Amino acid sequence: MLFNKMADKRLTNSFKSYVGFDDESFNTSNEESFSELNTRCLAGEMAIAEAQHVLMFSPVSEHKQGKSGSLIVTNFKLSFVTTEEYTKHEMFCQENQLLGEHDVCLSNVDALYLMGDKKRRLLPGKNMSEKVKGLIVVCKNMKVMTFSFKFSPVGHGRNLTNALLHHAFPKRHQLLFAYDFREPYYSCPTEVCMFQDPGEWGRELARTGAVGWRLSGVNREFKMSSSL
């Protein structure tokens, strides 16, 4: 009877194996990250493609350590979201930070490479029809992000790669998200001195106690001097 209870207990224990990934085990920093996650979007920003159960390798780890989460492509950025990052942002509101710790603006993407036996560069505007096992994102600021779709559902890696190839390399600069983004106007509770009228300059001279200075309306219209 004791043997049966122990056997039942052993059967109910959960076991997660990463054997087969480069023939060695893979250590993730968050065991609960294999869940559906969402990125925080700005006004007018929308998600285009998403890959779940993605592994992001840590730099200089030889593809043995990293984080697990969801990789999302929007019309503004490439965002990698983990459960740890998601709960942290639940407690604090997003103020003026446009990009998170693992976010990359699409205009900052310089090149994309396929992971495999040989690293192969992907050409913008070309659609991938084969299975994508891993993706290397090289940024213009020399940041490199490496992702694996080994545990992702079928087709997630290919769909996300095609979306990234299409939206990260627009043929016209008018297609960039910056042209559509309109940041809401925030009113300031205190009056801000813009130094656009003589009264503001007069109060500033009085406040600083400047000696030997006087106000002049010669350049009131901010025009170029005729003597230059």
Side-chain angles (χ1 to χ4, degrees):
M1 187 67 180
L2 180 61
F3 174 80
N4 291 335
K5 290 183 178 180
M6 293 179 62
D8 293 340
K9 184 176 181 180
R10 291 179 60 184
L11 290 175
T12 56
N13 288 338
S14 60
F15 176 77
K16 184 178 294 184
S17 174
Y18 298 102
V19 176
F21 199 93
D22 294 338
D23 296 330
E24 295 185 17
S25 61
F26 179 86
N27 297 324
T28 58
S29 61
N30 198 338
E31 290 293 333
E32 299 178 355
S33 57
F34 290 101
S35 59
E36 186 176 357
L37 300 171
N38 296 316
T39 184
R40 293 186 176 272
C41 295
L42 302 173
E45 184 181 3
M46 62 184 66
I48 300 172
E50 177 183 359
Q52 300 176 1
H53 303 176
V54 179
L55 304 179
M56 184 181 71
F57 297 114
S58 300
V60 200
S61 65
E62 297 182 356
H63 299 174
K64 297 178 182 178
Q65 294 181 348
K67 296 182 179 181
S68 55
S70 295
L71 189 61
I72 303 172
V73 174
T74 71
N75 55 343
F76 171 60
K77 65 178 181 289
L78 173 67
S79 178
F80 181 77
V81 188
T82 65
T83 53
E84 178 182 0
E85 185 180 28
Y86 187 79
T87 54
K88 180 179 65 175
H89 283 286
E90 281 293 313
M91 300 174 60
F92 302 96
C93 60
Q94 184 182 17
E95 297 178 348
N96 59 347
Q97 186 177 8
L98 301 180
L99 298 173
E101 180 182 0
H102 305 299
D103 295 346
V104 175
C105 182
L106 293 183
S107 59
N108 191 27
V109 176
D110 184 57
L112 301 176
Y113 293 88
L114 275 184
M115 287 180 56
D117 298 335
K118 292 184 179 180
K119 186 173 69 173
R120 179 163 61 93
R121 183 167 183 173
L122 301 178
L123 298 178
K126 302 293 183 180
N127 288 331
M128 294 292 301
S129 58
E130 58 187 282
K131 181 179 179 180
V132 178
K133 298 180 179 179
L135 185 66
I136 302 175
V137 181
V138 180
C139 303
K140 297 176 182 178
N141 59 354
M142 294 182 290
K143 180 179 181 180
V144 179
M145 305 176 71
T146 306
F147 303 98
S148 171
F149 304 105
K150 180 179 178 64
F151 304 103
S152 301
V154 178
H156 277 211
R158 182 179 64 252
N159 295 337
L160 185 134
T161 302
N162 288 333
L164 196 57
L165 285 171
H166 178 75
H167 292 276
F169 307 98
K171 297 181 179 180
R172 294 181 292 112
H173 62 84
Q174 290 88 352
L175 299 177
L176 294 173
F177 175 74
Y179 286 89
D180 297 328
F181 175 62
R182 295 293 183 269
E183 186 177 8
Y185 176 77
Y186 299 96
S187 60
C188 184
T190 59
E191 184 178 355
V192 179
C193 183
M194 302 300 295
F195 297 103
Q196 293 185 350
D197 59 75
E200 294 178 341
W201 283 105
R203 288 190 294 270
E204 184 66 13
L205 291 178
R207 183 187 68 84
T208 57
V211 180
W213 292 83
R214 65 181 180 87
L215 294 177
S216 174
V218 174
N219 197 25
R220 177 186 293 269
E221 302 296 333
F222 301 100
K223 295 181 179 180
M224 185 70 69
S225 175
S226 58
S227 61
L228 294 179

